[in-house]
């Protein structure tokens, strides 16, 4: 079964009742623009993936208990705000940006923070750990707090 439109720069429009007796477009295959327009929500039942990319690189799904965005392709998973990257996940490293500039990056040893850290409550280090404040790039601490026991 083929549904096709051989007319130049024309569309295929799937319409149905709009719930109040009128007709409404739900799906438009736009031949002149070369894209598909959904005019209503798409519903994916539990454990049915929305798949993007030739190699199923990106999948969005809900398993009945949890929601997932699964990136399995090349490159990074980027959440954008406007033209700037807001959150970038690449090879296990997660970077959170503010206005396109990295502010918090995960590393194999913890996190790196660029800029000021403001805490509304206590800033704590675990037992047998030190809280070290270094000036500039110096590894010699200006202030060292800790419990070596």
């Amino acid at each position: 079964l083929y549904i096709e439109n051989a007319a130049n720069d024309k569309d295929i429009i799937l319409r149905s009742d709009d719930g109040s007796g009128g007709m409404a477009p739900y799906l438009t295959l736009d031949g002149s623009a070369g894209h598909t327009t959904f005019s209503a929500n798409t519903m994916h039942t539990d454990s049915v993936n929305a798949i993007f990319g030739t190699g199923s690189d990106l999948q969005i799904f809900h398993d009945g208990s949890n929601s997932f965005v699964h990136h399995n392709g090349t490159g990074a998973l980027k959440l954008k705000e406007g033209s700037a990257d807001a959150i970038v996940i690449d090879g296990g490293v997660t970077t959170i940006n503010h206005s396109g500039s990295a502010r918090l990056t995960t590393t194999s040893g913890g996190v790196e923070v660029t800029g000021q850290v403001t805490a509304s409550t206590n800033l704590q280090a675990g037992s047998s750990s030190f809280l070290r404040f270094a000036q500039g790039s110096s590894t010699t601490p200006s202030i060292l707090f800790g419990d070596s026991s």
Side-chain angles (χ1 to χ4, degrees):
L1 169 67
Y2 291 96
I3 299 174
E4 57 183 68
N5 179 0
N8 289 337
D9 295 331
K10 299 298 179 185
D11 303 337
I12 295 175
I13 302 171
L14 299 178
R15 300 182 332 146
S16 186
D17 180 73
D18 63 3
S20 61
M23 295 295 286
Y26 282 78
L27 178 70
T28 302
L29 307 176
D30 190 325
S32 60
H35 66 251
T36 303
T37 301
F38 293 89
S39 300
N41 293 333
T42 60
M43 178 80 67
H44 298 260
T45 57
D46 289 342
S47 300
V48 173
N49 297 2
I51 299 173
F52 303 88
T54 303
S56 302
D57 302 320
L58 177 67
Q59 300 177 27
I60 302 172
F61 60 97
H62 181 77
D63 69 1
S65 299
N66 300 292
S67 296
F68 298 88
V69 175
H70 179 72
H71 168 66
N72 194 32
T74 58
L77 173 64
K78 298 182 177 188
L79 302 179
K80 299 184 92 52
E81 180 180 11
S83 62
D85 294 339
I87 299 174
V88 178
I89 303 170
D90 192 5
V93 175
T94 301
T95 303
I96 300 174
N97 300 299
H98 176 76
S99 297
S101 297
R103 293 296 175 226
L104 187 138
T105 302
T106 61
T107 67
S108 61
V111 296
E112 291 179 3
V113 176
T114 302
Q116 178 177 324
V117 175
T118 303
S120 61
T121 59
N122 298 331
L123 186 58
Q124 299 179 349
S127 63
S128 300
S129 297
F130 292 92
L131 188 56
R132 180 182 302 224
F133 296 90
Q135 183 175 357
S137 61
S138 171
T139 58
T140 304
S142 299
I143 304 171
L144 178 66
F145 297 98
D147 177 11
S148 60
S149 57

